Amino acid sequence: MLDSMASSCGEWLKGNGPDSDIVMSSRIRLARNLADYPFIKRCTDIDRASIESTVREKLKTGKEFKDQTFINVAELDNLDRQFLVERQLISRELADAEGARAVAIDGLERMSLMVNEEDHLRIQVMKSGFDLQAAWDQINQVDDRIEEQLNYAFHKDLGYLTACPTNVGTGMRVSVLVHLPALVITKHIEKVFRTFQRINLVVRGLYGEGSQAMGDFYQVSNQITLGKSEEELIKQVGDVVPVLINYERKARDFLISGENQHNLFDQVSRAYGTLQNAQQISSEETMYLLSQVRMGVNLGLIGDLEIPTINKLFIHTQPAHLQKLRRNELDTMERNIERANYLKQHLKSDLSDDAEMN
Amino acid sequence: MKCQNCEKPATFHITDLTGDELLALHLCPDCAKEYLKSDDDVEEAPTITGVLQQQLKLEQTAEDLKELDSRECPICGISFYEFRQSGRLGCPNDYACFAGELEPLLVNVHGDNVHVGKRPKRGSEDMEMQTETIRLRREMKEAVENEDYEKASQLRDRIRAIEGDS
Ligand SMILES: [Zn+2]
Ligand SMILES: [Zn+2]
């Protein structure tokens, strides 16, 4: 299954939906724990194995889960685990953990259900573009179905109980993944994020906590989980998205106006040229350059390239994806050469056929 | 074009608007990484262990803290010290067991201490019954460790009986 996934790019990089030039995807996750087991930290190996098998058995019976494939993460090799992290289907924490752990994912990669992460269950639903409501409708239903099968740890005053008190209450994290290259270039990004912090929003890089912003992708999410309803939390995050879109558009307008336009056009063209001609290239530089090219396409500065192609290249040039596509384990140096080849092959200006992609 | 900080070719072109004037920077990948990093350290959100440490410093004498640290959850056996070191609780009962310390912490982190969102539709509100199973599991593990297999199998039967009911 993992091998066939590699050639596509999953829901969150599909690149359609409203305002998809700036908003990549919307995501909601719920943290849940079973009432009759200790939290992960105090689980024995037997407890962990028992949680995993209980969840797996119960999910088999629900028709909502018939499209879910249950993957035993403990049995995967490093490359496959890294691959799932790159696709945002599992967290780095789950990949690096030890003991029984699993993830259930559907063919369209819209839903993933991690077992034995920081909490017993981490349910996640992803939608392309800016569509938090659809994500909530789906995850709410999935949560209802699981609750019919399993007893959640729930407290009448504190809500859903979680291993870390920062998630207690709704156990919900609402995130929107945005592409903000112009705010980065104009150095406005920090100011915007400082403002967000004051209203209890968190901003992180693409691959979650502690990661640096890669390719100008940022995740904006709620910080608090207790004392506000799910709808209020969705609104809190949802309300700033139009503001962000507006800021980013203004910054793009600034970059493309008057004198600046030549600089931007030059910068974008050079980025494109480097990606087309490099003989070896790191994943960081690729992300950085692809980000500019993506903006260039959105602003009409590059004509012969489609956004879905760029989105695909973002994920396919990640280390584990590159190795899976080439069906070969490669060291850093080999990857940099392979990555350059891959980019060259897919950015030939006269060949933008989708058939060429796979 | 050469990097303005070293001899390598400049591949990153950054327009800095933070000052009054537009500042164009041309940097190689290495220097750009440095530059962006130094400017990118948006303050980290406070961690749970940090907030807790702050709170305890204000409220507790060293002696009180020592006593608090040694307090253990009767269900999962985690000590308060272990919780405040790792920031992770051991079982659902800890929310009751350490309620006095958690309440100000929750208010600190969330600005609130009452859940107003979704509730499970079916009544899983019988916390005592659920945490009982956790305690029995722990006792079973200890029985196995002490090679008291008879006790362990009795405990296993009790766990199964409870789970069969639910
Ligand atoms: Zn340099
Ligand atoms: Zn406990």
Coordinates of all heavy atoms in Angstrom, one line a residue, chain A residues 35-39 41-42 44 47 118 140 143-144 147 150-152 154 156-157 159-160 162-163 165-166 169 185-188 190 194 197 223-230 267 288, chain B residues 12-13 15-17 35 39 42-43 45 48 76-78 82 86-92 95 106 109-110 112-122 124 127 130 134 137 141 163:
Chain A
A35 N -10.9 4.7 28.9 CA -11.1 5.0 30.3 C -10.5 3.9 31.2 O -10.1 4.1 32.3 CB -12.6 5.1 30.6
D36 N -10.3 2.7 30.6 CA -9.9 1.6 31.5 C -8.4 1.2 31.3 O -8.0 0.1 31.6 CB -10.8 0.4 31.3 CG -11.0 0.0 29.9 OD1 -10.5 0.8 29.0 OD2 -11.5 -1.1 29.6
Y37 N -7.6 2.1 30.8 CA -6.2 1.9 30.7 C -5.5 3.1 31.3 O -6.0 4.2 31.2 CB -5.7 1.7 29.3 CG -6.1 0.3 28.7 CD1 -7.3 0.1 28.1 CD2 -5.2 -0.7 28.9 CE1 -7.6 -1.1 27.6 CE2 -5.5 -2.0 28.4 CZ -6.8 -2.2 27.7 OH -7.1 -3.4 27.2
P38 N -4.3 2.9 31.8 CA -3.5 4.1 32.2 C -3.1 4.9 30.9 O -3.1 4.3 29.8 CB -2.3 3.5 32.9 CG -2.2 2.1 32.5 CD -3.5 1.7 32.1
F39 N -2.7 6.2 31.1 CA -2.2 6.9 29.9 C -0.9 6.2 29.5 O -0.2 5.5 30.3 CB -1.9 8.4 30.3 CG -3.2 9.1 30.6 CD1 -3.2 10.1 31.6 CD2 -4.4 8.9 29.9 CE1 -4.3 10.9 31.9 CE2 -5.5 9.6 30.2 CZ -5.5 10.6 31.2
K41 N 2.2 6.9 29.2 CA 3.4 7.0 30.1 C 3.5 5.8 31.1 O 4.5 5.3 31.4 CB 3.4 8.3 30.8 CG 4.7 8.6 31.6 CD 4.5 10.0 32.2 CE 5.4 10.1 33.4 NZ 6.8 9.8 33.2
R42 N 2.3 5.4 31.6 CA 2.3 4.4 32.6 C 1.8 3.0 32.1 O 1.5 2.1 32.8 CB 1.3 4.8 33.8 CG 1.7 6.0 34.5 CD 3.0 6.0 35.3 NE 2.9 5.1 36.5 CZ 3.9 5.0 37.3 NH1 5.0 5.6 37.2 NH2 3.7 4.2 38.4
T44 N 2.2 -0.6 30.5 CA 3.1 -1.7 30.3 C 3.1 -2.1 28.8 O 2.2 -1.7 28.1 CB 2.8 -2.9 31.1 OG1 1.5 -3.3 30.7 CG2 2.7 -2.6 32.6
D47 N -0.2 -3.6 28.2 CA -1.2 -2.6 28.0 C -1.3 -2.0 26.6 O -2.3 -1.9 26.0 CB -1.1 -1.4 29.0 CG -1.3 -1.8 30.5 OD1 -2.0 -2.8 30.7 OD2 -0.8 -1.1 31.4
E118 N 0.9 10.1 21.9 CA 0.9 10.7 23.3 C -0.4 10.3 24.1 O -0.4 10.0 25.3 CB 1.0 12.2 23.2 CG 1.1 12.8 24.6 CD 1.2 14.4 24.4 OE1 2.1 14.9 23.8 OE2 0.3 15.0 25.0
N140 N -16.3 14.7 13.8 CA -17.3 14.6 14.8 C -18.1 13.2 14.7 O -18.3 12.5 15.7 CB -18.2 15.8 14.7 CG -19.2 15.9 15.9 OD1 -18.9 15.4 17.0 ND2 -20.3 16.6 15.7
D143 N -15.8 10.3 15.6 CA -15.6 10.3 17.0 C -16.9 9.6 17.7 O -16.8 8.8 18.6 CB -15.4 11.7 17.5 CG -15.2 11.7 19.0 OD1 -14.3 11.0 19.5 OD2 -15.8 12.5 19.7
D144 N -18.1 10.0 17.2 CA -19.3 9.4 17.7 C -19.3 7.8 17.5 O -19.7 7.1 18.4 CB -20.5 9.9 16.9 CG -20.9 11.3 17.4 OD1 -20.3 11.8 18.4 OD2 -21.7 12.0 16.7
E147 N -16.9 6.2 19.8 CA -17.4 6.2 21.2 C -18.5 5.2 21.4 O -18.7 4.7 22.6 CB -18.0 7.6 21.4 CG -18.6 7.9 22.7 CD -19.7 8.9 22.6 OE1 -19.4 10.0 22.1 OE2 -20.8 8.6 23.0
L150 N -16.0 2.1 22.2 CA -15.0 2.2 23.2 C -15.4 3.2 24.3 O -16.0 4.3 24.0 CB -13.7 2.6 22.6 CG -13.1 1.7 21.6 CD1 -12.0 2.4 20.8 CD2 -12.5 0.4 22.3
N151 N -15.0 3.0 25.5 CA -15.3 3.9 26.6 C -14.2 4.9 26.7 O -13.0 4.6 27.0 CB -15.3 3.2 27.9 CG -16.7 3.0 28.4 OD1 -17.6 3.9 28.2 ND2 -17.0 1.8 28.9
Y152 N -14.5 6.2 26.4 CA -13.5 7.3 26.5 C -13.3 7.7 28.0 O -14.3 7.7 28.8 CB -13.9 8.5 25.7 CG -13.8 8.4 24.2 CD1 -14.6 9.1 23.4 CD2 -12.8 7.6 23.7 CE1 -14.5 9.1 22.0 CE2 -12.6 7.6 22.3 CZ -13.5 8.3 21.5 OH -13.3 8.3 20.1
F154 N -13.5 10.4 30.3 CA -14.2 11.7 30.3 C -14.6 12.1 31.7 O -15.0 11.3 32.5 CB -15.5 11.6 29.4 CG -16.2 12.9 29.2 CD1 -15.8 13.7 28.2 CD2 -17.3 13.2 30.0 CE1 -16.5 14.9 28.0 CE2 -17.9 14.4 29.8 CZ -17.5 15.3 28.8
K156 N -16.8 15.0 34.0 CA -18.0 15.9 33.7 C -17.6 17.4 33.7 O -18.2 18.2 33.0 CB -19.1 15.7 34.7 CG -18.8 15.9 36.2 CD -20.0 15.6 37.0 CE -19.7 15.7 38.5 NZ -18.9 16.8 39.0
D157 N -16.6 17.8 34.5 CA -16.2 19.2 34.4 C -15.0 19.5 33.5 O -14.9 20.6 33.0 CB -15.8 19.7 35.9 CG -16.9 19.6 36.8 OD1 -18.1 19.8 36.4 OD2 -16.7 19.3 38.0
G159 N -14.0 17.5 30.8 CA -14.1 17.0 29.5 C -13.3 15.8 29.2 O -13.1 15.0 30.1
Y160 N -12.8 15.6 27.9 CA -12.0 14.5 27.6 C -10.7 14.6 28.2 O -10.0 15.6 28.1 CB -11.9 14.4 26.0 CG -13.2 14.2 25.4 CD1 -14.0 15.2 24.9 CD2 -13.7 12.9 25.2 CE1 -15.2 15.0 24.3 CE2 -14.9 12.7 24.6 CZ -15.7 13.7 24.2 OH -16.9 13.5 23.6
T162 N -6.8 13.9 28.9 CA -5.6 13.6 28.0 C -4.4 13.5 28.9 O -4.3 14.0 30.0 CB -5.4 14.8 27.0 OG1 -5.4 16.0 27.8 CG2 -6.6 14.8 26.0
A163 N -3.4 12.9 28.3 CA -2.1 12.6 29.0 C -1.5 14.0 29.4 O -0.8 14.1 30.4 CB -1.2 11.8 28.2
P165 N -2.1 18.0 30.2 CA -3.2 18.9 30.6 C -3.4 20.0 29.5 O -4.4 20.6 29.5 CB -2.7 19.5 31.9 CG -1.7 18.6 32.5 CD -1.0 17.9 31.3
T166 N -2.4 20.2 28.6 CA -2.6 21.2 27.6 C -3.7 20.8 26.6 O -4.1 21.6 25.8 CB -1.3 21.5 26.8 OG1 -0.8 20.2 26.4 CG2 -0.4 22.3 27.6
G169 N -10.2 18.7 27.9 CA -11.4 19.5 27.5 C -11.9 18.9 26.2 O -12.4 17.8 26.2
I185 N 9.2 37.0 2.5 CA 10.2 37.9 1.8 C 10.1 39.3 2.3 O 11.2 39.9 2.5 CB 9.8 37.9 0.3 CG1 10.1 36.5 -0.3 CG2 10.7 38.9 -0.5 CD1 9.7 36.4 -1.8
T186 N 9.0 39.8 2.6 CA 8.9 41.2 3.1 C 9.1 41.3 4.6 O 8.9 42.3 5.2 CB 7.5 41.8 2.8 OG1 6.5 40.9 3.3 CG2 7.3 41.9 1.3
K187 N 9.4 40.1 5.3 CA 9.7 40.1 6.7 C 8.6 40.5 7.6 O 8.8 41.1 8.6 CB 10.9 41.0 6.9 CG 12.2 40.4 6.4 CD 13.0 39.7 7.5 CE 13.9 38.7 7.0 NZ 14.4 37.9 8.1
H188 N 7.4 40.3 7.1 CA 6.2 40.7 8.0 C 5.7 39.5 8.8 O 4.9 39.7 9.7 CB 5.1 41.2 7.1 CG 5.2 42.7 6.8 ND1 5.9 43.1 5.7 CD2 4.9 43.8 7.4 CE1 5.9 44.4 5.6 NE2 5.3 44.9 6.7
E190 N 6.9 37.6 11.1 CA 7.0 37.6 12.6 C 6.0 38.4 13.3 O 5.4 38.1 14.3 CB 8.3 38.2 13.0 CG 9.5 37.4 12.8 CD 10.7 38.3 13.0 OE1 11.1 38.4 14.2 OE2 11.2 38.9 12.1
R194 N 3.4 37.3 16.1 CA 3.4 37.8 17.4 C 1.9 38.2 17.8 O 1.5 37.9 18.9 CB 4.3 39.0 17.6 CG 5.7 38.7 17.5 CD 6.5 39.2 18.6 NE 7.8 38.6 18.5 CZ 8.8 39.1 17.7 NH1 8.6 40.2 17.1 NH2 10.0 38.5 17.6
Q197 N -0.1 35.1 18.6 CA 0.2 34.6 20.0 C -0.6 35.2 21.0 O -1.1 34.6 22.0 CB 1.7 34.7 20.3 CG 2.5 33.6 19.8 CD 4.0 33.7 20.0 OE1 4.4 34.8 20.5 NE2 4.8 32.7 19.7
Q223 N -4.4 27.2 20.6 CA -3.5 26.8 21.7 C -4.3 26.2 22.8 O -3.9 25.2 23.4 CB -2.8 28.1 22.3 CG -2.0 27.8 23.5 CD -0.7 28.6 23.6 OE1 -0.6 29.7 23.2 NE2 0.3 28.0 24.1
I224 N -5.5 26.8 23.2 CA -6.2 26.2 24.3 C -7.2 25.2 23.8 O -7.7 25.2 22.7 CB -6.9 27.4 25.1 CG1 -7.9 28.1 24.3 CG2 -5.9 28.4 25.6 CD1 -8.9 28.9 25.1
T225 N -7.6 24.3 24.7 CA -8.6 23.3 24.4 C -9.7 23.2 25.4 O -10.7 22.5 25.2 CB -7.9 21.9 24.3 OG1 -7.2 21.7 25.6 CG2 -6.9 21.8 23.2
L226 N -9.6 24.0 26.5 CA -10.6 23.8 27.6 C -11.3 25.2 27.7 O -10.7 26.2 27.7 CB -9.9 23.5 28.9 CG -10.7 23.3 30.2 CD1 -11.6 22.1 30.1 CD2 -9.7 23.1 31.4
G227 N -12.7 25.1 28.0 CA -13.4 26.3 28.3 C -14.0 26.9 27.0 O -14.7 27.9 27.1
K228 N -13.8 26.4 25.9 CA -14.4 26.8 24.6 C -14.9 25.6 23.9 O -14.3 24.5 24.0 CB -13.4 27.5 23.7 CG -13.1 28.9 24.1 CD -12.3 29.6 23.0 CE -11.6 30.9 23.4 NZ -12.5 31.9 24.1
S229 N -16.1 25.7 23.2 CA -16.7 24.6 22.5 C -15.9 24.4 21.2 O -15.1 25.2 20.8 CB -18.1 24.9 22.2 OG -18.2 25.9 21.2
E230 N -16.1 23.2 20.6 CA -15.4 22.9 19.4 C -15.7 23.9 18.3 O -14.9 24.4 17.6 CB -15.9 21.5 18.9 CG -15.3 20.3 19.7 CD -16.1 20.0 21.0 OE1 -17.0 20.7 21.3 OE2 -15.6 19.1 21.7
Q267 N 14.0 37.0 -9.2 CA 14.2 36.1 -8.2 C 13.4 34.8 -8.5 O 14.0 33.7 -8.3 CB 13.6 36.7 -6.9 CG 13.9 35.8 -5.6 CD 13.6 36.6 -4.4 OE1 13.4 37.8 -4.4 NE2 13.5 35.9 -3.3
Y288 N 12.7 25.8 -0.5 CA 12.9 27.2 -0.6 C 12.6 27.7 -2.0 O 11.8 28.7 -2.2 CB 14.2 27.6 -0.1 CG 14.6 29.1 -0.3 CD1 14.1 30.1 0.5 CD2 15.4 29.5 -1.4 CE1 14.4 31.4 0.3 CE2 15.8 30.8 -1.6 CZ 15.3 31.8 -0.8 OH 15.6 33.1 -1.0
Chain B
F12 N 19.9 33.1 -2.2 CA 18.7 33.6 -1.5 C 18.7 35.1 -1.6 O 19.7 35.7 -1.3 CB 18.8 33.2 0.0 CG 18.5 31.7 0.3 CD1 19.4 30.7 -0.2 CD2 17.4 31.3 1.0 CE1 19.1 29.4 0.0 CE2 17.2 30.0 1.3 CZ 18.0 29.0 0.8
H13 N 17.6 35.6 -2.0 CA 17.5 37.1 -2.1 C 16.3 37.5 -1.3 O 15.1 37.2 -1.5 CB 17.3 37.4 -3.6 CG 18.3 36.8 -4.5 ND1 19.6 37.4 -4.6 CD2 18.3 35.7 -5.2 CE1 20.3 36.6 -5.4 NE2 19.5 35.6 -5.8
T15 N 14.2 40.5 0.8 CA 13.9 41.9 1.0 C 13.5 42.2 2.4 O 12.5 41.6 2.9 CB 12.8 42.4 0.0 OG1 13.1 41.8 -1.2 CG2 12.8 43.9 -0.1
D16 N 14.3 42.9 3.2 CA 13.9 43.2 4.6 C 13.2 44.5 4.7 O 13.6 45.5 4.4 CB 15.3 43.2 5.4 CG 15.0 43.1 6.9 OD1 13.9 43.5 7.3 OD2 15.9 42.6 7.6
L17 N 12.0 44.4 5.3 CA 11.1 45.5 5.4 C 11.0 46.0 6.9 O 10.3 46.9 7.2 CB 9.7 45.3 4.9 CG 9.5 45.4 3.5 CD1 8.0 45.1 3.2 CD2 9.8 46.8 3.0
Y35 N 20.8 33.8 8.8 CA 20.1 35.1 8.9 C 18.6 34.8 9.2 O 18.1 35.5 10.1 CB 20.2 35.8 7.5 CG 19.4 37.1 7.5 CD1 19.9 38.2 8.0 CD2 18.1 37.1 6.9 CE1 19.2 39.4 8.0 CE2 17.4 38.3 6.8 CZ 17.9 39.4 7.4 OH 17.2 40.6 7.4
D39 N 16.4 35.6 12.9 CA 15.2 36.5 12.9 C 13.9 35.8 13.1 O 12.9 36.4 13.3 CB 15.1 37.2 11.5 CG 15.2 38.7 11.7 OD1 16.2 39.1 12.3 OD2 14.3 39.4 11.2
V42 N 10.5 33.3 16.9 CA 9.2 33.7 17.6 C 9.2 32.9 18.9 O 9.5 31.7 18.9 CB 8.0 33.3 16.7 CG1 6.7 33.6 17.3 CG2 8.1 33.9 15.3
E43 N 8.8 33.6 20.0 CA 8.9 33.0 21.3 C 8.1 31.7 21.3 O 7.0 31.6 20.8 CB 8.3 33.9 22.4 CG 9.0 35.3 22.5 CD 7.9 36.4 22.6 OE1 7.2 36.4 23.6 OE2 7.8 37.1 21.6
A45 N 5.8 28.8 22.7 CA 4.6 28.8 23.7 C 5.2 28.1 25.0 O 6.0 27.2 24.9 CB 3.5 27.9 23.1
I48 N 4.3 23.0 29.6 CA 3.5 22.7 30.8 C 4.4 22.6 32.0 O 4.1 23.1 33.1 CB 2.7 21.4 30.5 CG1 1.6 21.3 31.6 CG2 3.5 20.2 30.5 CD1 0.3 22.0 31.2
C76 N -2.6 4.5 39.3 CA -1.5 4.2 38.4 C -0.2 4.3 39.1 O 0.8 3.8 38.5 CB -1.6 5.1 37.2 SG -1.0 6.8 37.5
G77 N -0.1 4.9 40.2 CA 1.2 4.9 41.0 C 2.1 6.0 40.6 O 3.3 6.1 41.1
I78 N 1.7 6.9 39.7 CA 2.6 8.0 39.3 C 2.8 9.0 40.5 O 1.8 9.2 41.2 CB 2.1 8.7 38.1 CG1 3.2 9.6 37.4 CG2 0.9 9.6 38.4 CD1 2.8 10.3 36.1
E82 N 7.1 12.9 39.3 CA 7.2 12.4 37.9 C 6.4 13.2 37.0 O 6.8 13.4 35.8 CB 6.7 10.9 37.9 CG 7.7 9.9 38.4 CD 7.0 8.5 38.3 OE1 7.0 7.9 37.2 OE2 6.5 8.1 39.4
S86 N 7.9 15.4 33.7 CA 7.6 15.0 32.3 C 6.5 15.8 31.7 O 6.4 15.9 30.5 CB 7.2 13.5 32.3 OG 6.0 13.3 33.0
G87 N 5.6 16.4 32.5 CA 4.5 17.1 32.0 C 3.4 16.2 31.5 O 2.4 16.6 30.9
R88 N 3.5 14.9 31.8 CA 2.5 13.9 31.3 C 1.9 13.2 32.5 O 2.7 12.7 33.4 CB 3.2 12.8 30.4 CG 3.8 13.4 29.1 CD 2.7 13.8 28.1 NE 3.3 14.3 26.9 CZ 3.8 15.6 26.8 NH1 3.7 16.4 27.8 NH2 4.3 16.0 25.6
L89 N 0.6 13.1 32.5 CA -0.1 12.4 33.6 C -0.1 10.9 33.4 O 0.2 10.4 32.3 CB -1.5 12.9 33.7 CG -1.6 14.4 34.2 CD1 -3.0 14.9 33.9 CD2 -1.3 14.5 35.7
G90 N -0.4 10.1 34.5 CA -0.3 8.6 34.4 C -1.6 8.0 34.1 O -1.6 6.9 33.5
C91 N -2.7 8.6 34.5 CA -4.0 7.9 34.3 C -5.1 9.0 34.5 O -4.9 10.0 35.1 CB -4.2 6.7 35.2 SG -4.8 7.1 36.8
P92 N -6.4 8.6 34.1 CA -7.5 9.6 34.2 C -7.7 10.1 35.7 O -8.0 11.2 35.9 CB -8.7 8.8 33.7 CG -8.1 7.8 32.7 CD -6.8 7.5 33.3
Y95 N -6.3 13.4 37.4 CA -7.0 14.7 37.4 C -7.8 14.9 38.7 O -8.0 16.1 39.1 CB -8.0 14.8 36.2 CG -7.3 15.1 34.9 CD1 -6.9 14.1 34.0 CD2 -7.0 16.4 34.5 CE1 -6.2 14.4 32.8 CE2 -6.3 16.7 33.3 CZ -5.9 15.7 32.5 OH -5.3 16.0 31.3
L106 N -4.5 24.6 35.0 CA -5.4 24.7 33.8 C -5.9 26.1 33.6 O -6.0 26.5 32.4 CB -6.6 23.7 34.1 CG -6.3 22.2 34.1 CD1 -7.6 21.4 34.5 CD2 -5.8 21.8 32.8
V109 N -3.1 27.9 31.8 CA -2.8 27.5 30.4 C -4.0 27.8 29.5 O -3.9 28.3 28.4 CB -2.5 25.9 30.3 CG1 -2.5 25.5 28.9 CG2 -1.2 25.6 31.0
H110 N -5.2 27.5 30.0 CA -6.4 27.6 29.1 C -7.3 28.8 29.5 O -8.2 29.1 28.7 CB -7.3 26.4 29.3 CG -6.7 25.1 28.9 ND1 -6.6 24.7 27.6 CD2 -6.1 24.1 29.6 CE1 -6.0 23.5 27.5 NE2 -5.6 23.1 28.8
D112 N -9.3 28.9 31.8 CA -10.6 28.3 32.2 C -10.4 27.0 32.8 O -9.3 26.4 32.6 CB -11.5 28.2 30.9 CG -13.0 28.4 31.3 OD1 -13.4 27.9 32.3 OD2 -13.7 29.0 30.5
N113 N -11.4 26.5 33.5 CA -11.2 25.1 34.0 C -12.5 24.3 33.9 O -12.7 23.3 34.6 CB -10.7 25.1 35.5 CG -11.6 25.8 36.4 OD1 -12.6 26.4 36.0 ND2 -11.3 25.7 37.7
V114 N -13.4 24.7 33.1 CA -14.6 24.0 32.9 C -14.9 23.7 31.4 O -14.8 24.6 30.5 CB -15.9 24.7 33.4 CG1 -17.1 23.9 33.2 CG2 -15.7 25.0 34.9
H115 N -15.1 22.4 31.1 CA -15.3 22.0 29.7 C -16.7 22.4 29.3 O -17.7 22.2 30.0 CB -15.1 20.5 29.6 CG -15.5 19.9 28.3 ND1 -14.8 20.3 27.1 CD2 -16.4 19.0 27.9 CE1 -15.3 19.6 26.1 NE2 -16.3 18.8 26.5
V116 N -16.8 23.0 28.1 CA -18.2 23.4 27.6 C -18.5 22.7 26.3 O -19.6 22.9 25.7 CB -18.3 24.9 27.4 CG1 -18.2 25.6 28.8 CG2 -17.3 25.5 26.5
G117 N -17.6 21.9 25.8 CA -17.8 21.3 24.4 C -18.6 20.0 24.5 O -19.4 19.7 25.4
K118 N -18.3 19.2 23.5 CA -18.9 17.9 23.2 C -18.8 16.9 24.5 O -17.9 17.0 25.2 CB -18.2 17.2 22.1 CG -18.7 15.9 21.6 CD -18.0 15.4 20.3 CE -18.7 14.1 19.9 NZ -18.1 13.6 18.7
R119 N -19.9 16.1 24.6 CA -19.9 15.1 25.6 C -20.2 13.7 25.0 O -21.0 13.7 24.1 CB -20.9 15.4 26.7 CG -20.6 16.6 27.5 CD -21.6 17.0 28.5 NE -21.1 18.1 29.2 CZ -20.4 18.0 30.4 NH1 -20.3 16.8 30.9 NH2 -19.8 19.0 31.0
P120 N -19.6 12.7 25.5 CA -20.0 11.3 25.0 C -21.5 11.1 25.2 O -22.0 11.5 26.3 CB -19.2 10.4 25.8 CG -18.1 11.2 26.4 CD -18.6 12.6 26.6
K121 N -22.1 10.5 24.2 CA -23.6 10.3 24.3 C -23.9 9.3 25.4 O -24.9 9.4 26.1 CB -24.2 10.0 23.0 CG -24.3 11.2 22.1 CD -24.9 10.9 20.8 CE -24.6 12.1 19.8 NZ -23.2 12.2 19.4
R122 N -23.1 8.2 25.4 CA -23.5 7.2 26.4 C -22.8 7.4 27.7 O -21.7 8.0 27.7 CB -23.2 5.8 25.8 CG -21.8 5.5 25.6 CD -21.6 4.1 25.0 NE -20.2 3.7 25.0 CZ -19.8 2.5 25.2 NH1 -20.7 1.6 25.6 NH2 -18.5 2.2 25.2
S124 N -20.4 7.2 30.1 CA -19.2 6.5 30.5 C -18.7 7.4 31.7 O -17.5 7.5 32.0 CB -18.1 6.5 29.4 OG -17.8 7.9 29.2
M127 N -16.6 7.0 36.5 CA -15.1 7.0 36.5 C -14.5 5.9 37.4 O -13.5 5.3 37.1 CB -14.6 8.4 36.9 CG -14.6 9.4 35.9 SD -13.0 9.4 35.0 CE -11.9 10.2 36.3
Q130 N -14.1 2.5 36.0 CA -13.1 2.5 35.0 C -11.7 2.5 35.6 O -10.8 1.7 35.2 CB -13.2 3.7 34.0 CG -14.6 3.9 33.4 CD -14.9 2.9 32.4 OE1 -14.1 2.1 32.0 NE2 -16.2 3.0 31.9
I134 N -7.9 0.0 35.8 CA -6.5 0.4 35.7 C -5.7 -0.1 36.9 O -4.6 -0.7 36.8 CB -6.4 1.9 35.6 CG1 -7.2 2.4 34.4 CG2 -5.0 2.3 35.5 CD1 -7.2 3.9 34.2
R137 N -5.2 -3.8 36.7 CA -4.1 -4.2 35.8 C -2.7 -4.0 36.4 O -1.8 -4.8 36.1 CB -4.2 -3.2 34.5 CG -5.1 -3.7 33.5 CD -5.0 -2.8 32.2 NE -6.3 -2.4 31.7 CZ -7.1 -3.1 31.0 NH1 -6.7 -4.3 30.7 NH2 -8.2 -2.7 30.6
K141 N 0.1 -6.8 37.1 CA 1.5 -6.8 36.6 C 2.5 -7.0 37.8 O 3.4 -7.8 37.7 CB 1.8 -5.4 36.0 CG 3.1 -5.3 35.4 CD 3.5 -3.8 35.0 CE 4.5 -3.3 36.0 NZ 4.7 -1.9 36.1
E163 N -14.8 -5.9 32.3 CA -14.9 -5.6 30.9 C -16.1 -6.2 30.2 O -16.7 -5.6 29.3 CB -13.6 -6.0 30.2 CG -12.4 -5.1 30.5 CD -11.2 -5.4 29.7 OE1 -11.0 -6.5 29.4 OE2 -10.4 -4.4 29.5

